[in-house]
Amino acid sequence: MKILGIESSCDETAAAVTDDGKRVLSNVVSSQIDEHKLYGGVVPEIASRRHLENIDRVVNDALSQARVTIDEIDAVAVTYAPGLIGALLVGISYAKGLCLASGKPLIPVHHIAGHIAANYITHDDLKPPYLCLVISGGHSHIVEVKDYTKYRVIGRTRDDAAGECFDKAARTIGFDYPGGRHIDAAAKLGNPDAYSFPHPSVTGSKYDFSFSGLKTAVINLVHNAHQKGDPINPNDVAASFQKTVCEILVSKTMLAAKDLGASTLAIAGGVSANSGVRAAFEKECSKRGIRLFLPDLKYCGDNAAMIACQGYYDFLAGKRATLDLNGVATLSLDKISE
Ligand code: KG4
Ligand code: ZN
């Protein structure tokens, strides 16, 4: 079954064709990062305009690279939540037009569910139930994946998302937006024990994260050093910061895995590309006998193959949208499982 996936929730205009959710026939991603980095972050108005300019070309490229026409597609899957509303609406409107003209079914896909599904593309042997840590620019969740379309969020960030924290720390150190990958590269050259950063204490839910204190600690360290004229080694700050993020992610996730008796863990989202995060979980999971699944690097960040893949499972579960489908800026995964 061939699904055309469309993704435009943030700053990547993406389209892909998958077969039976697993086989990726094409995966086209047009990034706007070079423009947004001039402003140090995504400018929603610019994102919407660029999606509008790019979407027709990106979808047509995805179809032609997969060597299929729209007539040979069985359904169109589109990200409808969560994300920047103006950006989402471009993909949704395009998908609706395509479905109206072609008579194909429209499948609404949750962006975070898409990130989780990126692991099905990479790993044939991953099947629910399992625990998933989703770490992206906008979200940090510990999710119980009960089935392909059923989730329970058991932990979430109280403030900044992990990727947001990477990007803000990177900006303070002096790296371009989005700074996560620059911290990753710099950390390889630095001493992870050079600086000591705080681990947050979160009351209430024991699986919840908090990253704003860590972000502030990096800002204070760098600003104080500048004021005093003290030298600071960016690689050491990056390595110490990344080590702290890894410790926070590993400790909360392992606590959840232990409490739930989970023997399978997947990681998803842009930050799952981080080499320190991957190594930390590989080490901890092998120590505890937990099977770890990590997405292929090309499916960690935003892409439409993951949307088409999740669209396949949503289609099998009977999910369909009509032409009044709207974008939703904030929507918990729990809500789509009700
Ligand atoms: O999943 P994603 O592409 O978009 C959202 O849905 O938010 O995640 C983007 C985030 C950004 O914050 C980016 O800096 C971060 O993922 N990221 C990384 C790395 N590659 C991307 N963070 C740390 N290390 C990386 N190698
Ligand atoms: Zn994303």
Side-chain angles (χ1 to χ4, degrees), residues 244-265:
T244 311
V245 174
C246 291
E247 286 168 353
I248 296 167
L249 293 173
V250 166
S251 68
K252 296 276 175 177
T253 310
M254 290 304 150
L255 181 63
K258 184 164 160 266
D259 289 354
L260 271 66
S263 56
T264 306
L265 173 70

Side-chain angles (χ1 to χ4, degrees), residues 137-292:
H139 302 86
S140 301
H141 284 350
I142 299 178
V143 183
E144 233 190 311
V145 183
K146 292 164 174 284
D147 205 338
Y148 291 98
T149 59
K150 294 262 178 287
Y151 316 87
R152 186 168 75 100
V153 179
I154 59 166
R156 60 184 82 227
T157 183
R158 298 282 181 89
D159 38 57
D160 292 353
E164 201 179 344
C165 187
F166 262 100
D167 295 341
K168 287 177 179 165
R171 182 154 68 174
T172 307
I173 300 171
F175 298 127
D176 272 351
Y177 175 84
R181 62 199 157 100
H182 299 303
I183 291 206
D184 194 347
K188 292 188 178 128
L189 310 170
N191 172 9
D193 300 315
Y195 300 100
S196 166
F197 290 123
H199 291 65
S201 81
V202 184
T203 49
S205 166
K206 54 184 175 169
Y207 312 127
D208 278 1
F209 299 105
S210 166
F211 289 105
S212 70
L214 174 59
K215 170 192 71 183
T216 307
V218 174
I219 293 172
N220 288 344
L221 173 85
V222 173
H223 287 180
N224 287 341
H226 283 331
Q227 277 166 2
K228 290 187 199 152
D230 289 345
I232 209 143
N233 181 330
N235 296 338
D236 287 350
V237 181
S240 305
F241 164 81
Q242 185 171 292
K243 179 185 131 191
T244 311
V245 174
C246 291
E247 286 168 353
I248 296 167
L249 293 173
V250 166
S251 68
K252 296 276 175 177
T253 310
M254 290 304 150
L255 181 63
K258 184 164 160 266
D259 289 354
L260 271 66
S263 56
T264 306
L265 173 70
I267 310 195
V271 183
S272 65
N274 184 271
S275 58
V277 169
R278 293 171 89 96
F281 275 98
E282 268 159 4
K283 188 170 161 209
E284 199 61 31
C285 287
S286 88
K287 208 163 82 189
R288 293 168 187 250
I290 294 175
R291 286 182 81 201
L292 175 67

